[in-house]
Amino acid sequence: MERKILIIAPFISLPDEKGNSRFTYLAQLFSNCSYNVVLLTSQFSHITKRQRDIEKYDLMNLSYELHFLKSSSYSRNISIRRIISHIKLSYLVNKYLEKYGLEFSAIYCALPIPEVAAVAAKFAKNNAIPFILDIQDIWPEAFKMVIPNMYLLNIIFFKMIRCNKIAFQYANAIIGVSETYAKLAKYGVTDNRPMLSVFLGTDINDFNQQVIKYENKIVKDSNEIWLGYAGTFGKSYDIKTMILGTEKVIKDGYNIRIILLGDGPDKEKILDLLKKKSIKYVYPGYVEYGLMGAYLKKCNILVNCINRHSVSTVINKIADYLAAGIPILNGSPSEELNKLVSDYYIGKNYIPENIDSFYTTLLDMISNVDQIDIMKSNSFKVANSRFDRATSYQSIIHIVDSLVK
């Protein structure tokens, strides 16, 4: 009997785009495991804020089908236009399922978008199709930085919360990118449905192969300490503390250069602050995955600097940092991530948004070469044991296999 799976994932980077998407990797993996795979996504790219030219994907020799839905565009991450775009996409997903949904043996859906997940969950429930929910982020909790009053947040996003509950209730299995997210999906449900955390991770072998192409092109002064950051420049990330804390260490006589990789709405503010403080930096922009990895491997320490109100946990960059084998200076409110860093001794934690804490922790790390070497070794071990998609994603395949008859 043919096994056909529908993967619904609105926010992804496609094979020809910069990024390292969980869902294109899963589409390939399911295809390798004898599933017929359809990956359903938005024609609008959340990363570039542009509509994709979808005709070119017909020419790609992919092992799975790519189907696009034309949701409306938006220019800002937090805006009315984005909310409208998500509602329209949920409507389009519903129409798609009405037309093609019964062809599938299973529906695998990313969360967010809550409205999309609720539509898919209802369809799956009504048609006895296994529904697997993969939680990437928790909305509306993620918006606490904009609306810190949780009571007000719950009123404004009441519909979103209701959609989440529908998706959680109807899911036959729940997967989270962290244990924290997987547990949040319980919402009082006490049955024994499969529920596990599978870190976003990366394919370690692919990471290494891509890095090889670029690592000899990056020249580093042996007298410099490189402090690296890769990711978004936005409200969730506290790059300002990294810059101000680094300034204090430089005043102690250390020769530090900051390496910034990525893009985002706060990019100009960050670059202006670096210039104002006369801190040496390199900013190549939002670059190819292999080039990003090559820069990471040249760094001495990599920084994960999260806003103290953020609900993010084990995010994308952690896998890339570990794959590079570089110690992490981690400022995160996530207990799960803090415990991971300390238990495996892959870096050190500092208090988020606390300049003095960043300063003393960075100073401690760079003044002790022996502990840096131990952290490097541990990073490689953890990358291979817990963050390598080639092995960790097999548990996702096993869950779906158990549900598809």
Side-chain angles (χ1 to χ4, degrees):
M1 179 181 175
E2 179 188 60
R3 300 189 302 175
K4 190 172 185 180
I5 187 168
L6 174 66
I7 300 176
I8 304 173
F11 306 132
I12 61 172
S13 53
L14 293 174
D16 67 322
E17 297 171 343
K18 298 169 186 174
N20 186 25
S21 174
R22 180 182 185 93
F23 297 99
T24 51
Y25 190 92
L26 277 172
Q28 180 67 56
L29 190 58
F30 275 113
S31 177
N32 293 345
C33 295
S34 301
Y35 280 85
N36 287 331
V37 182
V38 174
L39 177 55
L40 181 65
T41 191
S42 171
Q43 183 175 337
F44 177 73
S45 168
H46 172 72
I47 297 172
T48 64
K49 301 296 188 287
R50 295 176 183 172
Q51 296 288 344
R52 294 179 170 106
D53 174 14
I54 61 176
E55 291 183 1
K56 64 180 179 180
Y57 294 103
D58 293 334
L59 304 176
M60 288 189 179
N61 187 27
L62 299 174
S63 64
Y64 52 89
E65 295 180 44
L66 264 176
H67 292 180
F68 294 93
L69 298 175
K70 190 168 185 180
S71 57
S72 54
S73 304
Y74 52 86
S75 59
R76 297 179 63 85
N77 286 349
I78 301 174
S79 63
I80 297 298
R81 285 184 179 273
R82 184 176 183 182
I83 293 172
I84 293 170
S85 177
H86 290 178
I87 292 171
K88 180 179 179 181
L89 186 62
S90 67
Y91 171 80
L92 294 173
V93 168
N94 189 50
K95 300 297 287 185
Y96 181 94
L97 290 171
E98 286 177 354
K99 188 172 183 179
Y100 303 109
L102 294 178
E103 298 177 8
F104 297 99
S105 312
I107 297 174
Y108 191 101
C109 185
L111 180 73
I113 301 170
E115 294 85 353
V116 169
V119 162
K122 286 179 182 176
F123 180 87
K125 178 72 172 177
N126 292 338
N127 293 281
I129 298 172
F131 178 70
I132 303 94
L133 190 67
D134 193 331
I135 305 171
Q136 309 291 294
D137 201 355
I138 295 290
W139 293 1
E141 289 86 344
F143 305 143
K144 278 200 304 183
M145 289 166 294
V146 181
I147 307 174
N149 186 314
M150 283 302 294
Y151 178 75
L152 183 60
L153 191 76
N154 290 338
I155 291 174
I156 294 173
F157 294 105
F158 170 77
K159 183 181 177 183
M160 190 179 288
I161 294 169
R162 186 177 63 182
C163 288
N164 279 338
K165 289 183 177 180
I166 290 169
F168 297 154
Q169 181 182 351
Y170 290 166
N172 298 97
I174 293 173
I175 295 162
V177 296
S178 68
E179 200 169 303
T180 305
Y181 285 175
K183 286 179 178 177
L184 279 173
K186 277 286 190 182
Y187 266 94
V189 176
T190 57
D191 59 28
N192 293 318
R193 286 177 293 172
M195 185 175 292
L196 79 159
S197 65
V198 180
F199 295 142
L200 285 164
T202 191
D203 188 304
I204 303 297
N205 183 60
D206 181 63
F207 177 92
N208 292 330
Q209 291 300 314
Q210 291 200 47
V211 165
I212 288 171
K213 295 184 290 185
Y214 296 100
E215 58 185 353
N216 291 329
K217 297 178 181 180
I218 300 170
V219 179
K220 176 184 178 183
D221 187 330
S222 60
N223 294 318
E224 288 183 342
I225 296 168
W226 279 18
L227 196 65
Y229 170 86
T232 304
F233 306 157
K235 287 185 180 295
S236 297
Y237 304 95
D238 180 36
I239 302 173
K240 181 179 178 181
T241 292
M242 178 181 76
I243 293 171
L244 297 180
T246 301
E247 181 189 26
K248 293 184 69 173
V249 178
I250 290 172
K251 288 179 178 177
D252 285 344
Y254 289 91
N255 184 12
I256 298 177
R257 185 182 296 273
I258 290 179
I259 312 299
L260 293 173
L261 301 145
D263 204 348
D266 291 345
K267 179 185 77 174
E268 295 306 324
K269 288 182 186 177
I270 290 162
L271 297 181
D272 286 345
L273 182 59
L274 284 164
K275 292 169 187 173
K276 180 181 176 182
K277 297 297 181 179
S278 299
I279 296 174
K280 293 185 294 184
Y281 71 92
V282 173
Y283 176 62
Y286 182 53
V287 299
E288 300 288 339
Y289 187 64
L291 181 55
M292 178 205 71
Y295 269 109
L296 295 182
K297 285 180 76 72
K298 292 282 187 177
C299 290
N300 300 87
I301 294 171
L302 297 170
V303 180
N304 182 44
C305 42
I306 306 295
N307 184 297
R308 69 180 185 274
H309 296 299
S310 173
V311 295
S312 63
T313 55
V314 188
I315 54 180
N316 277 23
K317 63 171 63 65
I318 302 302
D320 298 326
Y321 286 6
L322 292 171
I326 304 299
I328 300 172
L329 178 52
N330 175 56
S332 169
S334 167
E335 291 183 10
E336 180 178 358
L337 179 55
N338 292 342
K339 190 173 187 298
L340 185 78
V341 170
S342 59
D343 285 358
Y344 288 95
Y345 198 53
I346 54 176
K348 291 207 169 183
N349 300 310
Y350 71 92
I351 302 168
E353 297 187 66
N354 188 308
I355 296 169
D356 288 337
S357 178
F358 182 96
Y359 161 70
T360 56
T361 310
L362 175 57
L363 196 59
D364 174 67
M365 291 180 75
I366 62 179
S367 60
N368 189 335
V369 177
D370 290 340
Q371 71 174 348
I372 290 290
D373 290 339
I374 294 170
M375 290 173 184
K376 283 184 176 181
S377 176
N378 291 343
S379 294
F380 281 124
K381 291 175 184 175
V382 174
N384 284 283
S385 65
R386 300 202 60 188
F387 285 83
D388 188 2
R389 288 178 176 177
T391 53
S392 65
Y393 279 27
Q394 292 300 321
S395 59
I396 296 176
I397 301 296
H398 294 155
I399 280 185
V400 176
D401 283 347
S402 70
L403 295 170
V404 175
K405 298 176 182 178

